[in-house]
Amino acid sequence: MRTLCFFSALTVVMALGCVPSEDRLPDDRPNIVIVLADDMGFGDLGTYGSEIETPVLDRLAAEGIRFSNFHVGASCSPTRTMLMTGVDNHRAGLGNMLEIQADNQFGQPGYEGHLNDRVVTVSTVLRDVGYHTYMVGKWHLGSDAENIPHGRGFERSFALMESGADNWANMPYAPMYERVHYYEDDREVDLPEDYFSTDYYTEKMIEFIGSNAADEAPFFAFVSYQAVHMPHQAPREYVDKYNGVYDGGWDAIRAARLERQKALGLVSDGVELADQFDKTSVPAWRIPEWEETSAYERTFAARQMQVYAGMVDNMDVNVGRLLDYLEEIGEADNTLVLFLSDNGADPNQLQYTPAYQPWYAANYDRTYPADFDGDLSELGQIGTFSAYGPGWAAAANTPHSYFKTFSAEGGMRVPFIAHFPGRIAPGRITNAFGFVKDVVPTVLEVAGVAGPAGTYGGRDVHTPDGVSMWSLLAGDADAIHADEEVIGYELAGSSAVFQGRYKLVLDPAPKGSGAWELYDLFEDPSELADLSGDMPELVARLTDAYEAWADANGVIPVPEDYNPVTQLQRNIELGRTH
């Protein structure tokens, strides 16, 4: 076990104002672990109001700090881009998700579809100053030799290149991919027998950390679970554990979660839930009335949510396995652990899309309710596909409205937990605004390393533009961003700009109204009361700020007739998604 002299080492290194040289690196630097969930909603952990059993993450929150106002990009690869580089995704190569990228964005700077050569990953910076760097799980940031995790600073890795995959077998989850690719370090590999993604990724991370435990160098570990991206799948014992829990439907779960969130102090007593998500013109994104569905549909839907809950539960158990291992090797007290989701919950049910149904019928033994003939015990097991739809996605995102890919809070606001024994005081909840770009500066400050500043390794690169959260985490500050600071965001035409307590947001058709709307996120995180008519001067000022941000970051607007659903189909037909 290494001795702990974190603050003295940090003070010395940061005072030098440069990347430390090898001959003066302290050997007691902290380890850093980032655990990333996939498509998990704000309200899916017990410590965020859920009925799902997540005792490990609940304990991390109780012994650390929870954020109630932390934001990410509203979809996978843009968030991961910012999480790994601290640079806005439009400058880093993932200005849009490749799978839904508009025709006018292909071939443009910042829309390469992978991390470009103008950014440096946090793993590269930490590797270059003597950290061991490990990664397991979903990558989704490029698949050529230069852009797999091995080429982006990870000493050891076992990673899925695509946006998702089946959790039991080596196969795609959707027709956008002909096949999926797994790499261990720099070579493509197959999956072992008895594979389940969350279990296996945890085993590999423990293996990687253990392989160098004796040399006492610190490590940076990125644990990027597929849980709970579609297809929702989990070992049967985790699914059966929730028998009967969801029989009352999504409205009952949303209401119960909101009451627990109020009791926990995550939201104020005045927060309400939207009854219908009626701004979208897409029926598949509206919440069905639970009682208007048939008895069998309700039974099937309840089992779908059981599978999702089991997947979350299993992930929590695996986080516990990793933390137990750190305790075993004497590193638990010298490790900063950060937990977050890459975006809000996903309402889509690709298996019901008419154009895709032949693919699902050919690749999965059981996909649709009719395929189960009244027997739901196999749902979530090998050979089955499950994705739970907008009702349960709304419950996952409680109390927020709308979903993944939307600029509404349901797409962008996620759980964020930070845990560091002796450095982060326990039991705190903060409503300070945080953004995913803030993670890299935080990690580098904790490690005592100055990040890239215009150049790195002899080439010009973007400087990370997030803000370190460490002062807030350590209890020395109440905010991360100044009230006057403006933070811009855009994905596939969905746009937002944050300033202090206010958010100006636009979701174009078919997702939303196509008009700028203004919300007070402190009082109204559900985004029910549009203030744009009452505060036109603020709307004008924030609109100008958004345009300035978009111009500075090279945002290429999508065409007026852009539809992400039809664009995905077009990109599949043109072979652009591989």
Side-chain angles (χ1 to χ4, degrees):
M1 179 176 178
R2 292 177 284 132
T3 57
L4 311 180
C5 302
F6 167 72
F7 286 112
S8 61
L10 175 63
T11 301
V12 170
V13 173
M14 294 306 291
L16 292 170
C18 59
V19 175
S21 63
E22 288 288 344
D23 61 355
R24 54 182 169 83
L25 289 177
D27 63 7
D28 53 5
R29 292 169 294 165
N31 311 305
I32 299 155
V33 175
I34 297 177
V35 180
L36 185 68
D38 197 336
D39 292 359
M40 193 187 78
F42 179 86
D44 275 333
L45 302 179
T47 193
Y48 280 83
S50 178
E51 71 293 331
I52 301 172
E53 293 184 19
T54 55
V56 174
L57 291 167
D58 295 352
R59 176 176 60 82
L60 284 183
E63 296 176 355
I65 186 170
R66 273 170 293 172
F67 279 62
S68 61
N69 195 13
F70 190 87
H71 291 74
V72 294
S75 195
C76 311
S77 53
T79 289
R80 293 159 191 271
T81 300
M82 294 184 277
L83 181 65
M84 287 291 99
T85 69
V87 175
D88 192 275
N89 55 292
H90 296 88
R91 291 190 291 158
L94 278 299
N96 196 352
M97 266 184 61
L98 177 65
E99 290 82 358
I100 59 172
Q101 195 157 280
D103 293 348
N104 65 320
Q105 295 172 335
F106 281 92
Q108 299 300 315
Y111 291 81
E112 291 87 353
H114 57 78
L115 291 179
N116 61 35
D117 60 4
R118 296 183 294 281
V119 290
V120 180
T121 60
V122 65
S123 48
T124 297
V125 175
L126 292 177
R127 179 201 62 191
D128 290 349
V129 296
Y131 269 74
H132 292 301
T133 53
Y134 311 123
M135 185 268 171
V136 294
K138 171 177 157 180
W139 180 239
H140 201 201
L141 295 176
S143 57
D144 57 4
E146 293 78 18
N147 287 303
I148 61 174
H150 180 78
R152 285 291 184 167
F154 285 102
E155 175 186 344
R156 298 298 317 275
S157 58
F158 184 94
L160 165 69
M161 298 300 104
E162 285 75 18
S163 64
D166 191 90
N167 294 281
W168 296 107
N170 190 347
M171 62 178 287
Y173 74 97
M176 69 188 77
Y177 305 120
E178 294 177 355
R179 57 185 291 257
V180 289
H181 304 78
Y182 292 89
Y183 278 84
E184 181 158 5
D185 303 334
D186 60 348
R187 60 190 178 88
E188 188 173 355
V189 296
D190 204 345
L191 299 178
E193 295 182 5
D194 300 322
Y195 170 84
F196 180 71
S197 65
T198 311
D199 295 344
Y200 190 72
Y201 293 152
T202 306
E203 292 166 8
K204 293 302 289 187
M205 182 54 73
I206 290 172
E207 174 189 324
F208 292 160
I209 295 172
S211 67
N212 292 308
D215 70 6
E216 296 192 342
F219 62 83
F220 169 67
F222 178 35
V223 184
S224 178
Y225 289 125
Q226 286 172 235
V228 277
H229 192 285
M230 68 168 73
H232 299 154
Q233 298 165 319
R236 190 189 306 275
E237 62 269 25
Y238 289 93
V239 181
D240 290 345
K241 181 178 181 179
Y242 294 92
N243 284 346
V245 174
Y246 300 105
D247 292 354
W250 37 72
D251 293 329
I253 292 297
R254 289 179 77 206
R257 288 189 179 189
L258 178 58
E259 289 308 306
R260 283 191 290 267
Q261 288 170 343
K262 291 178 179 180
L264 289 167
L266 286 164
V267 301
S268 65
D269 288 340
V271 171
E272 299 178 355
L273 298 171
D275 292 331
Q276 292 290 327
F277 292 178
D278 55 5
K279 294 175 187 175
T280 174
S281 61
V282 178
W285 291 336
R286 293 190 179 183
I287 305 174
E289 294 287 350
W290 180 256
E291 295 303 327
E292 291 182 4
T293 59
S294 70
Y296 182 72
E297 287 172 331
R298 292 195 295 271
T299 301
F300 186 83
R303 187 69 177 184
Q304 285 181 304
M305 185 58 194
Q306 285 183 236
V307 175
Y308 180 89
M311 204 173 185
V312 174
D313 192 322
N314 173 265
M315 178 185 67
D316 184 79
V317 168
N318 274 280
V319 174
R321 291 174 60 199
L322 178 59
L323 297 181
D324 287 347
Y325 178 72
L326 297 184
E327 189 74 42
E328 178 184 325
I329 63 174
E331 293 294 342
D333 288 343
N334 195 35
T335 300
L336 168 66
V337 179
L338 304 177
F339 175 88
L340 70 158
S341 177
D342 64 350
N343 47 251
D346 187 352
N348 293 295
Q349 295 179 295
L350 299 181
Q351 72 272 30
Y352 298 150
T353 305
Y356 303 160
Q357 285 183 358
W359 186 91
Y360 283 102
N363 288 275
Y364 280 92
D365 298 330
R366 291 179 165 187
T367 308
Y368 317 107
D371 291 335
F372 285 85
D373 298 324
D375 177 12
L376 302 180
S377 64
E378 291 300 311
L379 193 63
Q381 305 311 299
I382 297 172
T384 71
F385 187 96
S386 182
Y388 60 8
W392 293 125
N397 287 335
T398 303
H400 308 126
S401 296
Y402 298 97
F403 317 104
K404 174 181 179 177
T405 78
F406 289 70
S407 287
E409 292 296 274
M412 299 187 67
R413 196 187 296 214
V414 298
F416 185 91
I417 297 169
H419 177 272
F420 199 169
R423 280 71 157 193
I424 295 177
R428 288 185 295 151
I429 296 175
T430 178
N431 196 41
F433 178 87
F435 195 63
V436 65
K437 288 190 292 185
D438 301 333
V439 173
V440 165
T442 305
V443 167
L444 294 178
E445 181 173 356
V446 169
V449 181
T455 62
Y456 195 90
R459 59 189 173 95
D460 293 337
V461 298
H462 295 303
T463 301
D465 55 357
V467 177
S468 174
M469 299 181 284
W470 181 249
S471 292
L472 182 140
L473 298 182
D476 299 326
D478 295 325
I480 300 165
H481 298 271
D483 285 344
E484 63 273 14
E485 184 179 352
V486 171
I487 294 96
Y489 168 80
E490 188 271 346
L491 172 69
S494 291
S495 307
V497 56
F498 300 86
Q499 185 178 42
R501 66 191 299 148
Y502 293 104
K503 175 188 179 185
L504 189 68
V505 59
L506 182 151
D507 274 307
K511 286 190 284 188
S513 67
W516 285 108
E517 300 168 2
L518 180 68
Y519 297 101
D520 180 339
L521 294 186
F522 284 12
E523 297 294 330
D524 182 26
S526 304
E527 296 171 303
L528 300 182
D530 179 10
L531 303 175
S532 59
D534 300 327
M535 307 177 74
E537 293 182 358
L538 179 58
V539 171
R541 187 165 68 249
L542 291 181
T543 303
D544 289 344
Y546 174 83
E547 295 298 337
W549 167 84
D551 183 65
N553 284 276
V555 175
I556 299 174
V558 297
E560 288 187 7
D561 61 351
Y562 173 85
N563 180 321
V565 176
T566 56
Q567 188 68 48
L568 172 61
Q569 295 173 358
R570 174 173 170 79
N571 290 343
I572 291 173
E573 292 168 0
L574 295 175
R576 292 168 163 174
T577 58
H578 306 305

